[in-house]
Amino acid sequence: MKLNKIKIHIVTFFVILINLSIICLYKLGLYLTKGKGLVYRSWINEMYAINIIILVIATLIFIGELLRRKSKIIKSIKDKLEIFNLIYYYIFFLAIIFILWISLFWISFEFTPEHIVYKDNKKVIAQVNSCLTKTRVEFFEPINNIFMKKTNIEGICYRGSYDIYDRKSN
């Protein structure tokens, strides 16, 4: 039983380290491409958002396990320990539910589908940014699977929250 708790603590610590290193790589990429007009493709931004959500949940688990370990060291009264565990699991459950709701809301507004289209006889990526009442389409030149570059083609803005390039909606 003690071995499983140590494993959970170590695994969450390594998940936090991996997520922090991915966030640092993302930010480093933004810094290095800042003056070149390059931006990340939308799937990279979505993975970044999911990475932050995983980091927050893993941090909550890590802190909770750390607090539980400290409370077991104190162990003055057994009833207090059980109440602490009950409160911890209740707060942890509510925090996870809250984080999942906020993350679903955040990802739904962060989601920007991309379509390969031909505009002005160029192969470009149309990135659709949809909100509640307006949609904006911006055009980018594909560089590779990670980066794209803003083009001189003027973006389109229209009323409605639908994707004009989505074949399912046409």
Side-chain angles (χ1 to χ4, degrees), residues 75-101:
K75 269 194 193 180
S76 60
I77 300 173
K78 194 172 185 178
D79 292 337
K80 285 185 180 179
L81 182 62
E82 289 176 11
I83 290 173
F84 176 76
N85 283 339
L86 183 66
I87 291 172
Y88 162 71
Y89 285 121
Y90 181 71
I91 291 173
F92 179 72
F93 178 74
L94 289 179
I96 295 295
I97 295 297
F98 179 73
I99 289 168
L100 289 176
W101 275 106

Side-chain angles (χ1 to χ4, degrees), residues 110-115 126-130 135-138 158 162-166:
E110 185 72 24
F111 179 66
T112 54
E114 295 177 352
H115 306 281
Q127 188 178 55
V128 182
N129 299 314
S130 180
T135 300
R136 177 155 179 80
V137 180
E138 296 181 19
Y158 56 90
Y162 59 93
D163 186 354
I164 59 174
Y165 295 107
D166 189 15

Side-chain angles (χ1 to χ4, degrees), residues 12-45:
T12 54
F13 179 73
F14 281 114
V15 166
I16 290 170
L17 283 180
I18 290 169
N19 282 311
L20 285 175
S21 63
I22 290 171
I23 289 171
C24 289
L25 284 174
Y26 178 87
K27 294 294 185 179
L28 180 67
L30 283 178
Y31 177 74
L32 292 176
T33 60
K34 189 175 185 179
K36 298 175 181 151
L38 297 175
V39 293
Y40 283 124
R41 302 280 299 258
S42 66
W43 72 271
I44 297 286
N45 293 327

Side-chain angles (χ1 to χ4, degrees), residues 45-51 53 99-112:
N45 293 327
E46 291 164 11
M47 289 295 127
Y48 177 71
I50 291 170
N51 193 13
I53 294 164
I99 289 168
L100 289 176
W101 275 106
I102 294 296
S103 63
L104 285 174
F105 184 74
W106 180 29
I107 289 175
S108 67
F109 282 106
E110 185 72 24
F111 179 66
T112 54

